[in-house]
Amino acid sequence: MDVACCYSTGVLPFSTNANPLHPPHASCVSFFHSSLTARLSGNLHHLFAYRLQKDVSGDSRTVCVRSCKAQQSRKRPQYVPNKIDDPSYVRIFDTTLRDGEQSPGATLTSKEKLDIARQLAKLGVDIIEAGFPIASPDDLEAVRMISLEVGNNVNSEGYVPVICGLARCSKPDIDAAWEAVRHALRPRIHVFIATSGIHMKHKLRKTPEEVVETARRMVRYARSLGCQDVEFSPEDAGRSDPSFLYQILGEVIKAGATTLNIPDTVGYTLPSEFGDLIAKIKENTPGANDIIISTHCQNDLGLATANTLAGACAGARQVEVTINGIGERAGNASLEEVVMAIRCRGQEIMNGLFTGINTKQIAMASKMVTDYTGMMVQPHKAIVGANAFAHESGIHQDGMLKFKGTYEIMAPDDIGISRADESGIVLGKLSGRHALKTRLLQLGYELESKELDDVFKRFKAVAEKKKALSDEDLEALVSDEVFQPQVVWALSDLQVVCGTMGFSTATVRLLGPDGLQQFGTSVGTGPVDAAYKAIDLIVKIPVTLLEYSLIAVTEGIDALANTRVVIRADNSPSVTHAQSGKLVQRSFSGTGAGEDVVVSSARAYVSALNKLIGSVSPAVTRQIQHIQEPTVAV
């Protein structure tokens, strides 16, 4: 039977059987594989593949329907550091907790890191880069916690993620990384050093020979500690001299590296360049066939996903990604984009590539990272954006009503989203716990009993004032009750007086860490300013407000308000930045939701303060905090 495999520049006929899961003819695979890198230089949505389906009339003629259902379920190979038994398997290396946390305002507490690591394990990522342990004692402890719990939790199929710690090519860094990850069943140390001319000259101030010797010595040192899984990255490989790359990579392989990660650190390369770089490294590096080649692509030119896919097609079998694509500057390759692209196109276009990711956990991971980091996802973000499965055009709606495959290449439930309640239940003030729990499960939220109690209490309070609560309202409430840092201070009550006839005044009551209630009253230029100053009088940690944003969760005058703030403590301790090596002050984000914009704003501010306090030790908190004042502060 003839099938048309279509691409934006034309139609290529080939023959296959009637099974829609059967891979294309070898000649077609060869054609698409050889030209994939060039095509990735354009827009990814111009790539079309089609599978057979009977039309609605039931006859045997075929219709062209785009689909992500074509990838067969294949088993994850047994983990061996330097090889993969199935040559089509692509390891997913998630660096949300390390590179992702380097986004301004995305600082995470140890509890939040552990929660995200648990979710990444549910997602099924192969490697979790849990942090940069040398950055601070708190970072080292967070990585150790993840190693002890997530790194030892083997599921029924024998899966347990590798836990990785980042280190510069220095013994103190490597010692810290090993101390943090050695408790995991599968520990890995990831060492890096810059190899581009501009970095060696201006940052390292080392000769190429010195860089090679340092890399060789530090990889050997990491192996000498007992770590059998060592990854090496030549920072800024995209702008490095290829011949120098082949040399240094060959040397670290001899020293014991099991994975070579090729970073496009500044997002400079195009897909055709990056794919060619990976292919040439495999061809020209001595010993490259005995280790795993990896990619790490930044998104400065918006090409991180395209470059990552080009690298995978050229032979890379590990890809480094983050949830929602967060990270330094413009971010990293997005896990959800790379994984779903491989799931949709891997079988027919990428010569059978596949991953071990449970895609139904993508939506939950995205929401958790959004809420914990405060980094909002733009509505038109691929896969997880609010508009990713929305259809407003009349022509599109008509097509969707007739057959969803006309305008959707994947279904929302493929990534764990359920937007419509087929039972017809509308949640309001008369709804009970069971109805709320059922709807939250449909939305991907599996809450513990205590968490459900907290959300139900807020749900009933909001439902008394709002006739019906939408899915967006429920997600805002979950974010405000569940995805919050450990509670040190809690907002009990807030009263404001404001208007055009005088200064705004706010009175705040907080429940403190000792269980006692404390009051604060202040004036300000507006109700939010007054509320924040009243909170400052109670908490007594001087901070600078860096960002403030407020949005309505849904339309209508009764919509919930969602507030995000970013703060920085005036005397907060510094941490070491992974790439620059400089000491930097961390900033902390907080979110809050409520029917009242001032209450929502106060919740967000208290959330950010809790995150700041929870990220440092009690001794450090006392250093940046003023001496405790009496219970009532005015």
Side-chain angles (χ1 to χ4, degrees):
M1 182 178 293
D2 288 335
V3 184
C5 185
C6 310
Y7 174 60
S8 59
T9 59
V11 179
L12 176 69
F14 62 89
S15 295
T16 183
N17 63 22
N19 183 354
L21 300 182
H22 193 281
H25 191 275
S27 61
C28 182
V29 171
S30 177
F31 170 80
F32 278 100
H33 187 269
S34 62
S35 59
L36 176 65
T37 305
R39 283 179 278 146
L40 283 172
S41 299
N43 293 325
L44 284 175
H45 64 263
H46 284 165
L47 295 173
F48 299 107
Y50 298 86
R51 63 181 173 88
L52 297 175
Q53 279 200 354
K54 291 183 178 180
D55 70 1
V56 291
S57 66
D59 64 32
S60 60
R61 71 183 180 85
T62 62
V63 292
C64 289
V65 182
R66 292 191 298 177
S67 174
C68 282
K69 299 290 188 183
Q71 188 180 45
Q72 299 185 50
S73 176
R74 298 168 68 178
K75 188 177 180 181
R76 184 197 307 265
Q78 183 178 0
Y79 184 79
V80 179
N82 66 324
K83 68 178 182 178
I84 302 175
D85 290 337
D86 189 330
S88 297
Y89 186 76
V90 179
R91 287 176 179 167
I92 301 298
F93 177 113
D94 184 273
T95 183
T96 302
L97 297 176
R98 200 277 301 169
D99 199 318
E101 199 199 10
Q102 291 176 200
S103 302
T107 301
L108 300 165
T109 65
S110 295
K111 172 189 174 296
E112 292 169 338
K113 289 180 180 180
L114 184 58
D115 285 347
I116 292 175
R118 290 171 179 149
Q119 180 60 29
L120 292 174
K122 290 181 182 179
L123 191 61
V125 303
D126 299 274
I127 302 100
I128 298 174
E129 188 167 50
F132 182 44
I134 196 66
S136 71
D138 295 299
D139 283 84
L140 190 151
E141 184 58 32
V143 178
R144 182 190 286 118
M145 286 171 52
I146 293 169
S147 299
L148 286 167
E149 181 181 320
V150 181
N152 284 275
N153 187 10
V154 183
N155 72 7
S156 58
E157 297 178 353
Y159 159 79
V160 62
V162 174
I163 306 300
C164 177
L166 183 70
R168 294 166 297 186
C169 276
S170 73
K171 286 188 176 182
D173 280 39
I174 295 171
D175 288 338
W178 180 239
E179 173 58 31
V181 303
R182 66 184 179 87
H183 309 280
L185 289 176
R186 294 174 177 168
R188 176 186 290 192
I189 297 175
H190 180 189
V191 298
F192 73 96
I193 193 169
T195 55
S196 67
I198 190 171
H199 275 248
M200 289 190 290
K201 178 180 179 181
H202 297 286
K203 187 179 79 170
L204 299 181
R205 297 180 181 177
K206 292 180 180 290
T207 65
E209 292 75 20
E210 290 174 322
V211 169
V212 171
E213 176 55 31
T214 299
R216 181 196 301 117
R217 190 172 67 253
M218 290 300 101
V219 169
R220 188 180 296 120
Y221 179 69
R223 287 297 299 261
S224 73
L225 296 176
C227 184
Q228 302 302 309
D229 193 352
V230 176
E231 177 173 334
F232 174 79
S233 289
E235 186 186 5
D236 203 19
R239 294 190 296 175
S240 298
D241 175 47
S243 60
F244 180 60
L245 277 181
Y246 309 150
Q247 177 191 357
I248 191 170
L249 294 176
E251 290 300 319
V252 296
I253 290 174
K254 288 190 290 185
T258 52
T259 298
L260 300 182
N261 179 52
I262 311 304
D264 183 20
T265 305
V266 293
Y268 180 71
T269 63
L270 301 180
S272 56
E273 291 178 292
F274 193 74
D276 189 55
L277 176 62
I278 297 296
K280 288 183 176 178
I281 286 174
K282 286 181 65 66
E283 179 182 349
N284 295 293
T285 301
N289 292 328
D290 300 322
I291 48 85
I292 305 299
I293 300 292
S294 173
T295 68
H296 182 112
C297 300
Q298 300 291 136
N299 203 40
D300 296 69
L301 293 177
L303 295 171
T305 295
N307 283 344
T308 299
L309 294 175
C313 287
R317 288 298 176 265
Q318 175 182 291
V319 292
E320 302 200 355
V321 291
T322 61
I323 301 294
N324 297 337
I326 65 172
E328 285 275 5
R329 302 184 311 280
N332 288 273
S334 162
L335 179 146
E336 57 274 12
E337 292 175 12
V338 171
V339 166
M340 292 308 292
I342 293 176
R343 182 172 188 242
C344 289
R345 312 310 307 280
Q347 183 69 24
E348 56 195 348
I349 297 298
M350 302 180 195
N351 210 18
L353 296 186
F354 73 105
T355 74
I357 295 297
N358 177 6
T359 63
K360 290 187 179 295
Q361 293 291 336
I362 285 177
M364 189 66 209
S366 174
K367 293 169 187 173
M368 181 179 288
V369 170
T370 296
D371 290 331
Y372 277 161
T373 64
M375 305 289 292
M376 304 305 294
V377 174
Q378 66 267 36
H380 56 279
K381 169 74 168 64
I383 316 299
V384 294
N387 295 344
F389 298 99
H391 305 272
E392 187 168 331
S393 164
I395 296 175
H396 286 218
Q397 289 175 346
D398 178 66
M400 286 292 294
L401 290 171
K402 292 175 178 175
F403 184 67
K404 289 185 172 60
T406 53
Y407 287 103
E408 282 191 351
I409 62 172
M410 68 192 83
D413 60 6
D414 288 342
I415 64 167
I417 293 177
S418 175
R419 287 299 182 189
D421 184 22
E422 296 179 358
S423 64
I425 294 176
V426 177
L427 294 177
K429 67 178 183 179
L430 300 180
S431 300
R433 282 172 52 91
H434 181 69
L436 176 63
K437 180 179 180 180
T438 299
R439 189 65 194 125
L440 291 176
L441 283 172
Q442 292 172 341
L443 293 173
Y445 295 101
E446 300 179 28
L447 303 184
E448 301 292 336
S449 178
K450 174 62 168 62
E451 295 172 336
L452 182 61
D453 289 342
D454 293 340
V455 174
F456 184 66
K457 182 179 178 181
R458 284 290 304 280
F459 163 77
K460 297 294 279 188
V462 174
E464 286 291 335
K465 303 175 183 178
K466 189 172 183 178
K467 185 176 181 180
L469 275 73
S470 67
D471 291 345
E472 290 78 9
D473 292 325
L474 296 180
E475 290 178 343
L477 293 180
V478 171
S479 172
D480 201 38
E481 290 297 325
V482 178
F483 295 139
Q484 291 291 335
Q486 184 175 355
V487 175
V488 180
W489 294 95
L491 179 66
S492 297
D493 292 297
L494 169 64
Q495 180 69 43
V496 296
V497 177
C498 62
T500 60
M501 302 181 67
F503 288 108
S504 297
T505 305
T507 300
V508 174
R509 180 166 63 182
L510 298 183
L511 183 65
D514 53 4
L516 299 178
Q517 293 186 339
Q518 298 192 41
F519 293 84
T521 299
S522 182
V523 297
T525 57
V528 173
D529 181 51
Y532 283 11
K533 287 178 177 176
I535 292 171
D536 288 340
L537 288 173
I538 300 172
V539 178
K540 301 179 182 67
I541 295 181
V543 300
T544 299
L545 181 65
L546 303 178
E547 295 180 27
Y548 173 91
S549 61
L550 177 71
I551 61 171
V553 174
T554 58
E555 61 185 18
I557 195 67
D558 59 351
L560 288 178
N562 200 330
T563 308
R564 177 180 184 261
V565 302
V566 179
I567 63 173
R568 182 178 60 228
D570 294 348
N571 301 310
S572 64
S574 300
V575 296
T576 303
H577 189 278
Q579 292 179 321
S580 68
K582 296 180 179 179
L583 294 177
V584 296
Q585 283 189 309
R586 282 180 168 169
S587 54
F588 303 84
S589 65
T591 59
E595 313 91 271
D596 186 292
V597 295
V598 182
V599 174
S600 170
S601 300
R603 288 180 182 276
Y605 193 60
V606 172
S607 172
L609 288 169
N610 283 336
K611 182 177 287 190
L612 187 158
I613 296 170
S615 69
V616 297
S617 65
V620 175
T621 301
R622 287 192 293 270
Q623 291 177 10
I624 63 177
Q625 191 174 29
H626 292 308
I627 298 175
Q628 187 73 23
E629 296 292 338
T631 300
V632 179
V634 180

